[in-house]
Structure formats: C-alpha cells, structure tokens
Amino acid sequence: EADIYQTPRYLVIGTGKKITLECSQTMGHDKMYWYQQDPGMELHLIHYSYGVNSTEKGDLSSESTVSRIRTEHFPLTLESARPSHTSQYLCASQHRGNYGYTFGSGTRLTVV
Amino acid sequence: QKEVEQNSGPLSVPEGAIASLNCTYSDRGSQSFFWYRQYSGKSPELIMSIYSNGDKEDGRFTAQLNKASQYVSLLIRDSQPSDSATYLCAVKAGAETSGSRLTFGEGTQLTVNP
C-alpha cells in the first residue's frame, strides 16, 4: 500500500498550458523532493523542501515551481508547458530515522 | 569527479549466477547508503540500506560497505530474470556537503538471461 501518492499518473497536454502535478504523503515526513527523469537516464533533483514554507531549487535548473503549505502536500507547477518539459516526474519523501526515500509512482508528462 | 559513481553497464548475467553491482562515493563523511531497484517505466524501490562497515544480508541480496575504501556494493545471488532492472546507488553525504538529501548514482542496468 503506497504511502506517497502522485496524480495524475499520465498527462498529455498542449504547449503553453499551466499544469500542477500533485504529490501527497501520509507518513508525516518533513522532507520531500521532486526529481525529473528521462527514460533510461539518471535522476535529476529539481526541487526539495525540508518542511512547511521551506522550498529550495535542486541541482537541475527547472522552470517549474513548488509550494509547501501543508506537511503532507508538495505540488509542482509548470506555468507554461513546453515540449522540453516532456519527462517523468518523481516525488519522494524522506524517513526521519534512516534517511531513506520512498518514491511515488511518478507522473509521466508529455507536452505536445 | 562525480559524488557517486556506479560501474558502467549494462551488466548481463545468466540465470542463477551472482550479479555484482559496485558503487564508489567521494565524501568520506558519508553516513548512510542505499540500493534502489527501478524497473523500466516505474519508480525506484528501496531494496537495501547499510550504515556500518561489513556485510548486510536480506534474502538473495547482500550489501557490502567499506568506508575506508569509500565503496559499497550489492550482490544478488541466484539471479532471476525478474531481477532485470536498473539498480541505483544512493548516498547520504556528510551534513556539510548536502544536508539530508541523498545523492544518486547514474544506475547500472542489469539483465538476467534465462
């Protein structure tokens, strides 16, 4: 049973549209992360949060933004989608004790 | 030098063999080490964690850590076709380097041939 949920699972959207990818976790974790991953390629950290009202940009420059108003919710928003945003987006939360991540099932985004 | 490096793949082994996956890391202050398995099109799944030098066994999986050599490995005994996936090494570096977040290697693609 998943403790971290991402919606939608798949999304096909037109260029210029605004989209929000949802990520929610029920484990009460403070630390959450967004990664971008192209097929067969490595994970790239794009945003992270260490708690409510705390957000930071990751290692990979991204045109997306995030917010953290509630502990359990960490949505990612693209104001104007472009074909270059086509990728898989993975959300993860981090366990306090052992530092391991639990990943959501991901959102596969296609911008046409 | 990358913070976390994995042996370049793809790695191919016959069914029943031992698959050996290797990972080196650059931050000597690193504290926690993880192996994730990622099937094609799926998200990474944690399969092993190790925090102290030596071996840690869980079923067919054994993680080995050598902090002096800055080296962590994953052995998969009696490899099965269902083990075919990309294996990601992840390291929690010292707090001065990157806070709490994990640094991931590029992954090693493993194929187990029936």
Side-chain angles (χ1 to χ4, degrees):
Chain A
E1 182 176 335
D3 296 313
I4 181 165
Y5 306 91
Q6 288 187 246
T7 57
R9 183 73 179 90
Y10 301 94
L11 179 62
V12 180
I13 199 162
T15 298
K17 299 292 186 183
K18 177 181 179 178
I19 58 170
T20 296
L21 307 185
E22 301 289 347
C23 178
S24 295
Q25 49 96 4
T26 59
M27 297 173 281
H29 293 163
D30 293 321
K31 296 172 183 170
M32 298 185 71
Y33 304 83
W34 274 103
Y35 287 86
Q36 184 175 342
Q37 186 182 38
D38 293 325
M41 304 300 285
E42 63 184 301
L43 292 166
H44 291 287
L45 178 67
I46 52 175
H47 295 283
Y48 61 100
S49 168
Y50 284 174
V52 171
N53 294 326
S54 156
T55 61
E56 300 286 345
K57 290 187 181 294
D59 304 320
L60 180 68
S61 175
S62 173
E63 294 164 345
S64 58
T65 59
V66 292
S67 63
R68 191 86 183 277
I69 298 172
R70 303 196 318 265
T71 297
E72 61 270 23
H73 196 212
F74 190 37
L76 181 144
T77 297
L78 279 167
E79 291 292 334
S80 179
R82 295 211 297 265
S84 61
H85 296 140
T86 295
S87 189
Q88 174 159 254
Y89 293 84
L90 292 164
C91 179
S93 71
Q94 186 170 31
H95 298 256
R96 290 192 190 92
N98 63 24
Y99 300 107
Y101 290 178
T102 297
F103 283 87
S105 55
T107 294
R108 187 168 297 280
L109 173 66
T110 302
V111 183
V112 298
Chain B
Q1 180 189 4
K2 289 198 169 187
E3 293 179 53
V4 178
E5 294 199 58
Q6 296 186 235
N7 50 329
S8 58
L11 177 65
S12 181
V13 300
E15 184 175 355
I18 295 174
S20 177
L21 303 160
N22 303 316
C23 175
T24 58
Y25 57 95
S26 60
D27 185 348
R28 188 169 288 278
S30 297
Q31 303 168 356
S32 308
F33 307 86
F34 306 88
W35 283 99
Y36 285 82
R37 177 177 62 200
Q38 186 175 25
Y39 292 115
S40 180
K42 303 294 186 182
S43 60
E45 172 194 12
L46 178 65
I47 55 171
M48 289 289 284
S49 58
I50 188 166
Y51 306 98
S52 55
N53 281 329
D55 295 358
K56 179 181 178 181
E57 188 174 315
D58 184 359
R60 295 186 295 109
F61 298 98
T62 299
Q64 299 175 317
L65 175 62
N66 184 327
K67 290 186 177 180
S69 300
Q70 296 174 236
Y71 174 93
V72 58
S73 66
L74 179 70
L75 300 178
I76 306 175
R77 291 183 302 280
D78 188 23
S79 295
Q80 301 297 308
S82 58
D83 295 326
S84 298
T86 295
Y87 289 80
L88 303 171
C89 173
V91 176
K92 180 189 174 304
E96 299 76 22
T97 303
S98 60
S100 297
R101 60 182 182 169
L102 303 184
T103 301
F104 287 84
E106 294 186 6
T108 300
Q109 185 179 341
L110 171 67
T111 300
V112 181
N113 300 303

